[in-house]
Amino acid sequence: MKKVLSITIVTAIICGAYGVLQLNPNKNTSDAEATYQTSPTVAITPSVNNNSSRVVNVDADYSDGVTTIDDLKKNADLIVYGQVTSQIQYSDSAVQSTINVNKHRKGIAPEVIKVFQLGVVGSDDVLSPGQSYLLFLGKQTDDQADTFFIKGGTQGQIQIDQNKLYFKDALMKKDYDRKFVSSTGQAASFDSWLNK
């Protein structure tokens, strides 16, 4: 009886340890099963009724992350060029940016959309008011036609400044360079590729 109980306990410990390892977001995975993790620490600005700042740790598993710009385009519900006109701290850990859509390359876009991101207003990982972007978006699961999120966390967030593209995600930048920039540094027509 002791031998059976010991084997059962050891088996439970091994299975439990294996389960914990499978849930570990920092484990090594192959490219085919990779997800993109971020654990930003964000400081929340004190409100009028609160005289102290607090720190909120936000963990996000971007399970919609991809390894190529082709997959980013394929998986996006909406691809738009637009400018951030306003931004609010929607909750302690989420920012809502209002975007005036200049043109769309995939999907049907209202003239004005709302994009939600994890973070705080003014942090490096969220859209910046007054800036123009090329955005690869997914539809929020609410019933509103104008609410979206950026695919793959920051993978689908590309800033445009004086007709130059600035990628937030190094993997997408590398794939863009491989696919669209020749050895002479001349970029092929990325916009016409998006429009196909």
Side-chain angles (χ1 to χ4, degrees):
M1 179 71 171
K2 284 184 178 180
K3 191 174 190 179
V4 171
L5 183 59
S6 296
I7 291 172
T8 304
I9 291 171
V10 169
T11 303
I13 291 170
I14 290 171
C15 289
Y18 178 75
V20 168
L21 289 174
Q22 292 304 307
L23 295 174
N24 182 354
N26 297 319
K27 72 173 184 149
N28 291 329
T29 58
S30 70
D31 286 343
E33 61 181 348
T35 57
Y36 299 90
Q37 305 288 331
T38 183
S39 295
T41 299
V42 293
I44 303 298
T45 305
S47 66
V48 175
N49 299 330
N50 182 359
N51 292 328
S52 64
S53 291
R54 62 189 171 130
V55 174
V56 177
N57 289 320
V58 178
D59 291 323
D61 179 0
Y62 297 117
S63 58
D64 64 341
V66 294
T67 57
T68 68
I69 204 157
D70 291 303
D71 287 340
L72 185 63
K73 176 184 172 186
K74 177 182 166 188
N75 293 339
D77 297 319
L78 182 66
I79 301 173
V80 297
Y81 290 92
Q83 183 174 27
V84 180
T85 58
S86 65
Q87 193 172 68
I88 62 168
Q89 192 69 47
Y90 187 78
S91 71
D92 283 351
S93 59
V95 173
Q96 174 191 303
S97 299
T98 302
I99 313 288
N100 278 351
V101 175
N102 300 328
K103 59 184 171 180
H104 67 279
R105 289 294 175 238
K106 181 179 180 182
I108 298 172
E111 289 181 18
V112 177
I113 60 174
K114 296 174 190 149
V115 175
F116 290 87
Q117 294 178 275
L118 290 176
V120 294
V121 171
S123 67
D124 288 340
D125 287 334
V126 298
L127 302 172
S128 298
Q131 296 296 316
S132 295
Y133 292 91
L134 168 60
L135 299 170
F136 294 75
L137 303 170
K139 180 68 185 89
Q140 288 285 6
T141 56
D142 58 19
D143 291 328
Q144 299 178 36
D146 64 344
T147 58
F148 297 88
F149 65 93
I150 297 175
K151 295 296 280 186
T154 58
Q155 286 185 323
Q157 175 180 332
I158 304 168
Q159 186 175 346
I160 303 169
D161 188 20
Q162 298 181 2
N163 292 325
K164 292 183 182 177
L165 301 177
Y166 296 92
F167 289 78
K168 203 66 158 158
D169 184 86
L171 188 59
M172 292 301 103
K173 169 67 172 137
K174 182 178 178 183
D175 194 52
Y176 168 83
D177 288 347
R178 180 192 61 76
K179 185 172 180 85
F180 295 101
V181 179
S182 71
S183 58
T184 62
Q186 297 298 313
S189 182
F190 183 59
D191 186 63
S192 63
W193 173 81
L194 283 173
N195 209 26
K196 291 181 187 177

